[in-house]
Amino acid sequence: AAAIIAQAVTFRPPPQAPTVDPVFVELEKDAPHDSRPRLDSPPTFNVADLTLNVLPSSVGHIFMGLKDGGLQHLLAGARSDVGIISGRYMFEVKIVEQDTCPETEVWMPGPRTLLRVGFSVAGSVPILGESIDGIGFDLDGSIVHNKTRTVVAQGLRPCSIVTCVLNLEPKAANVNTLSIFRDGIRIASPHPLPEVLRGKPLYPTVTF
């Protein structure tokens, strides 16, 4: 089980895997200052789009999965209340705690730490990678969509800040792509967004 902290913000100008992070050449510059009006309230995570085993904090966007009675073996998910239809936006996630359930220490092995960050469509189950309705990067450096896993980067590290960028800017070099950064550094090339997700409002989603 892991406690997850996630914060949705506008874009800021990030099996087998490489043992050393490669250096990627950015094809796009930092976004210029945007003077358009902001949302009336900051993005948050919709309580209606949390799985039943998510325990949210009252402040700080901190989530923890329930772990009593075997619930530690189930995936938990949360989805933002603001979707993206154009432009270039990112959100950040960090594992702030890894906890082993005392119950599992006695009679069975505990579940492995899991974190997926990405985007999904409204109305879908917020478990990334298990259907065509969502796509996300996994803790082991792979990207998962519709139960298909492709290793694209070195694994993510606990306590690192993981940044997921969705680029829907029509004139951008990386249009219709998803990117992953670790502590502000790109660790994989932009990954094409599946055709089935293009043209739909996409919502920041975390699965853990």
Side-chain angles (χ1 to χ4, degrees):
I4 308 294
I5 181 171
Q7 184 176 11
V9 295
T10 54
F11 183 79
R12 285 204 305 261
Q16 296 180 352
T19 56
V20 178
D21 290 344
V23 177
F24 296 93
V25 177
E26 293 294 343
L27 301 179
E28 300 178 6
K29 297 181 180 180
D30 293 349
H33 175 71
D34 192 342
S35 60
R36 293 176 298 177
R38 297 291 189 260
L39 298 174
D40 294 334
S41 58
T44 186
F45 281 81
N46 192 355
V47 175
D49 282 330
L50 306 181
T51 55
L52 295 178
N53 57 338
V54 172
L55 183 63
S57 66
S58 57
V59 294
H61 296 164
I62 299 177
F63 301 134
M64 183 174 183
L66 298 176
K67 55 188 178 180
D68 293 335
L71 289 176
Q72 71 273 14
H73 297 284
L74 301 179
L75 295 178
R79 181 166 44 239
S80 172
D81 63 348
V82 176
I84 300 168
I85 58 174
S86 64
R88 182 175 55 164
Y89 292 89
M90 54 80 79
F91 74 103
E92 296 175 337
V93 175
K94 182 179 181 180
I95 298 178
V96 297
E97 181 183 85
Q98 292 179 254
D99 187 23
T100 301
C101 179
E103 176 182 306
T104 62
E105 293 178 346
V106 177
W107 62 279
M108 66 169 57
R112 72 179 182 91
T113 299
L114 182 144
L115 171 65
R116 294 175 186 169
V117 296
F119 293 83
S120 63
V121 300
S124 63
V125 177
I127 303 297
L128 292 171
E130 300 302 311
S131 71
I132 63 173
D133 296 321
I135 185 171
F137 292 96
D138 205 334
L139 200 62
D140 64 4
S142 59
I143 191 165
V144 189
H145 175 249
N146 198 24
K147 299 184 179 181
T148 300
R149 179 185 303 271
T150 304
V151 177
V152 295
Q154 190 176 9
L156 304 174
R157 302 164 185 159
C159 297
S160 296
I161 297 176
V162 180
T163 305
C164 190
V165 178
L166 178 64
N167 192 334
L168 301 179
E169 189 66 41
K171 297 182 180 179
N174 297 327
V175 62
N176 289 325
T177 61
L178 203 62
S179 294
I180 186 76
F181 295 75
R182 183 182 62 213
D183 295 329
I185 300 174
R186 178 184 290 278
I187 59 173
S189 299
H191 189 82
L193 197 64
E195 288 288 344
V196 69
L197 295 177
R198 298 184 184 185
K200 298 179 180 179
L202 298 176
Y203 294 76
T205 305
V206 293
T207 299
F208 56 99

